[in-house]
């Protein structure tokens, strides 16, 4: 499975993880130098509204902002904003027409419009200048003109960010809790986690069982706590135990039971989908230039 998610570049006063609107699973946060940060995030209802998100970030920070959504590592869409002006939604890497296979905008929003490589490169050079950066114009044009069928779209996104003139691509910043390890992974795992199960269950009933809203709230709180200095992992682990109790006390037939109910004991003891400490972070840090 390829890369899915939003890459955000902005210059906040504080941490970029404090902003909403472009996802809630703020997984990787990096320093780019000069106060600039890059955030890799995702959400339940992706793709997000990139134009609104980039515009909101520019207004919030007073600096240009960039938001790019990558679909399965195959292609992407971009919105570049400076305070007072937001660029059009642009398809990457074939900029001259809409994507024929992937939805790049929320339902009801217009898809990316066709643009020339030169027009997109000009817009991003202007974005970089407004950000006080010095872009590599030739490299920027070359990256935008690349064939996305030959290079993973997420790799091209990071090449694009470098070409904008940032000082560095930093290593991922440390978390306040290990969201990929037990007990937290029992909630946040993308394949079997109770967060995914709770959201799915909520879509199929108007009156979900008590464990559903409790798990959904906890999942968001876990992601919100990931970069907070005042995070209390012990208290959050206690909440995990509380919602596990609600889940295990459910009516299996009413709650969907089935495969998850059969697999749950193996998820608890780690024999199914065991933890792989640090694997994702090592892969993410392979993008760093420092």
């Amino acid at each position: 499975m390829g890369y899915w998610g939003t890459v955000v570049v902005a210059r906040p006063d504080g941490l970029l993880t404090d902003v909403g609107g472009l996802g809630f699973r703020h997984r990787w946060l990096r320093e780019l130098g000069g106060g600039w940060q890059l955030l890799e995030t995702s959400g339940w209802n992706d793709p997000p509204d990139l134009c609104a998100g980039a515009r909101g970030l520019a207004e919030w920070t007073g600096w240009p902002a960039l938001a790019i959504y990558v679909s399965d590592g195959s292609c992407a869409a971009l919105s570049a904003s400076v305070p007072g002006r937001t660029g059009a939604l642009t398809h990457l890497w074939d900029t001259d027409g809409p994507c024929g296979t992937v939805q790049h905008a929320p339902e009801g929003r217009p898809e990316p419009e066709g643009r020339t490589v030169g027009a997109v490169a000009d817009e991003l050079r202007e974005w970089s200048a407004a950000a006080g950066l010095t872009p590599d114009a030739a490299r920027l044009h070359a990256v935008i003109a690349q064939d996305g069928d030959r290079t993973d779209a997420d790799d091209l996104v990071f090449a694009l960010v470098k070409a904008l003139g940032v000082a560095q691509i930093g290593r991922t910043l440390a978390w306040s809790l290990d969201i990929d390890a037990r007990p937290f992974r029992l909630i946040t795992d993308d394949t079997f986690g109770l967060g995914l199960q709770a959201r799915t269950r909520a879509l199929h009933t108007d009156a979900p069982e008590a464990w559903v809203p409790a798990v959904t709230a906890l999942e968001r709180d876990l992601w919100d706590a990931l970069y907070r200095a005042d995070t209390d992992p012990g208290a959050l682990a206690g909440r995990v135990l509380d919602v596990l109790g609600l889940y295990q006390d459910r009516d299996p037939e009413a709650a969907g039971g089935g495969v998850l109910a059969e697999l749950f004991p193996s998820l608890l003891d780690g024999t199914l989908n065991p933890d792989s400490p640090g694997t994702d972070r090592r892969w993410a840090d392979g993008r760093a230039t420092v």
Side-chain angles (χ1 to χ4, degrees), residues 105-262:
E107 187 175 352
R109 297 276 182 175
E111 287 286 299
E113 60 186 59
R115 306 176 67 192
T116 66
V117 169
V120 177
D122 287 344
E123 177 186 63
L124 290 177
R125 281 197 298 270
E126 292 172 3
W127 184 96
S128 179
L133 303 173
T134 302
D136 183 334
R139 180 60 183 155
L140 191 61
H141 189 282
V143 170
I144 297 168
Q146 283 198 54
D147 184 349
D149 291 335
R150 298 185 179 182
T151 307
D152 288 342
D154 46 302
D155 291 337
L156 290 174
V157 167
F158 278 82
L160 181 68
V161 172
K162 293 176 189 176
L164 289 171
V166 299
Q168 63 183 37
I169 303 289
R171 292 172 62 87
T172 57
L173 299 187
W175 292 339
S176 297
L177 57 86
D178 190 347
I179 205 163
D180 287 336
R182 267 160 257 274
F184 307 117
R185 187 176 180 179
L186 295 169
I187 307 298
T188 61
D189 184 84
D190 284 337
T191 304
F192 295 110
L194 288 187
L196 174 62
Q197 305 303 325
R199 293 192 303 272
T200 302
R201 178 62 181 158
L203 290 174
H204 293 91
T205 179
D206 294 330
E209 303 79 5
W211 69 273
V212 173
V215 167
T216 300
L218 176 57
E219 182 186 33
R220 283 189 171 274
D221 287 348
L222 287 172
W223 286 106
D224 285 346
L226 200 57
Y227 289 97
R228 291 178 59 106
D230 60 352
T231 292
D232 184 344
L236 289 169
R239 288 181 60 190
V240 173
L241 295 178
D242 290 340
V243 299
L244 290 180
L246 287 174
Y247 177 76
Q248 290 175 307
D249 290 341
R250 77 204 184 290
D251 177 347
E253 184 176 351
V259 174
L260 183 62
E262 294 175 8

